[in-house]
Amino acid sequence: AAIWWGDDPDVTFTPPGHSYYFTSLAIEQEQPELIKCAETYAKVGMAVADAFIKCWEWKYHFFTERANTFVPKYIDQEWESFWPDPPFPAFPSGHAIQAATAATVLEDSFGKEFKFTDKAHEGRERDEIRDTDFVNREFNSFWEAAQETADSRFYGGIHIPHDNQVGLKEGKKVAQNVLNLNWKVKK
């Protein structure tokens, strides 16, 4: 799962791009009225943007090291992470916080049990270095996809569980702030 969620802008879209892709999938599947489409994109966009603002604020407030720094020094000198370390602090996971915000908004718009297929990498060539094929992923909910997004950062060796758990928790809060805005048109 780590490679699926790499969301490396040199190869695919960014992490928020993956969330906007899920928004498009839900809209295409449900075919809601135009106003709901616009409102959903606005909510996802605002929530994800706010999530990254808070994420970067916290990253440089707490300034935590990554597993790839700690593990070889104190636990196993031979250990290497699946992904190379990004050049910024670890806590919280940006993938986790933005995936949680998008999942929370999308669940509010389309329900908690929303089955969909992530075909983001369909047709992508096999990654020979990591011996991995890109197989479409099935999800029973947006939150299931958000959890897998967060877990992928642990599997990739660039986050510890705490980075992801807090990212998911705080992402829900950020999304709830956006959902609590007055979205009804007054007549």
Side-chain angles (χ1 to χ4, degrees), residues 3 26 44-45 50 53-54 84 107 110 113 130 154 159 177-178:
I3 198 166
V44 169
D50 285 355
I53 290 168
K54 292 308 293 180
E107 281 187 353
F110 299 104
E113 295 180 17
R130 293 179 183 91
F154 174 72
H159 282 292
N177 289 336
V178 171

Side-chain angles (χ1 to χ4, degrees), residues 26-91:
I27 286 172
E28 288 172 11
Q29 191 170 315
E30 289 293 306
Q31 297 288 306
E33 292 184 21
L34 182 59
I35 190 68
K36 183 173 180 176
C37 297
E39 186 176 290
T40 303
Y41 278 116
K43 288 175 180 178
V44 169
M46 292 168 67
V48 168
D50 285 355
F52 271 114
I53 290 168
K54 292 308 293 180
C55 180
W56 286 99
E57 177 184 320
W58 293 326
K59 279 183 182 292
Y60 284 98
H61 175 79
F62 295 107
F63 217 91
T64 59
E65 69 182 319
R66 293 194 178 264
N68 207 23
T69 306
F70 185 86
V71 173
K73 185 173 182 179
Y74 296 104
I75 299 172
D76 179 359
Q77 292 179 349
E78 303 296 316
W79 185 79
E80 287 185 34
S81 65
F82 182 80
W83 294 116
D85 281 352
F88 44 83
F91 177 82

Side-chain angles (χ1 to χ4, degrees), residues 158-171:
I158 59 174
H159 282 292
I160 61 171
H162 181 71
D163 299 344
N164 296 322
Q165 292 160 357
V166 172
L168 291 170
K169 179 181 164 194
E170 294 302 317

